[in-house]
Amino acid sequence: APLIVAHLEKHPAWSGSEIANAAGYRTCWAQSVRISSGIPVGVVAFFLPEPAEPESAEIHLLKMSAHVVGLAIQRRRSDEEL
């Protein structure tokens, strides 16, 4: 499931984050990237300049982006094994 933080400044893990504040980030939507075996290999994250909850189409885009990245990583690993 995606991790949705609609208000970074109100979230305990992000409040006071100098990096997020300096970059102007107010929202983070993230999805883990996994290869076909289920092993997590990364994260895709969307950062936005205003607090926001994602709509269903945006959640779908986040999940599909993570899936495509997972496929690319798995393909790269398979090519390196050859």
Side-chain angles (χ1 to χ4, degrees):
L3 172 65
I4 306 300
V5 181
H7 299 276
L8 293 179
E9 65 277 359
K10 294 179 181 178
H11 193 275
W14 285 92
S15 64
S17 170
E18 293 180 23
I19 295 171
N21 287 334
Y25 299 144
R26 301 296 175 259
T27 297
C28 177
W29 306 333
Q31 176 68 46
S32 61
V33 174
R34 296 175 183 271
I35 57 176
S36 64
S37 63
I39 297 170
V41 293
V43 174
V44 169
F46 297 166
F47 288 90
L48 300 155
E50 297 297 327
E53 292 284 343
E55 295 185 11
S56 61
E58 294 164 325
I59 291 173
H60 180 72
L61 177 62
L62 178 62
K63 289 180 176 182
M64 289 307 298
S65 298
H67 178 72
V68 170
V69 170
L71 291 173
I73 290 171
Q74 185 162 336
R75 172 68 186 260
R76 178 67 183 248
R77 287 182 172 184
S78 293
D79 288 350
E80 288 174 353
E81 289 176 3
L82 295 177

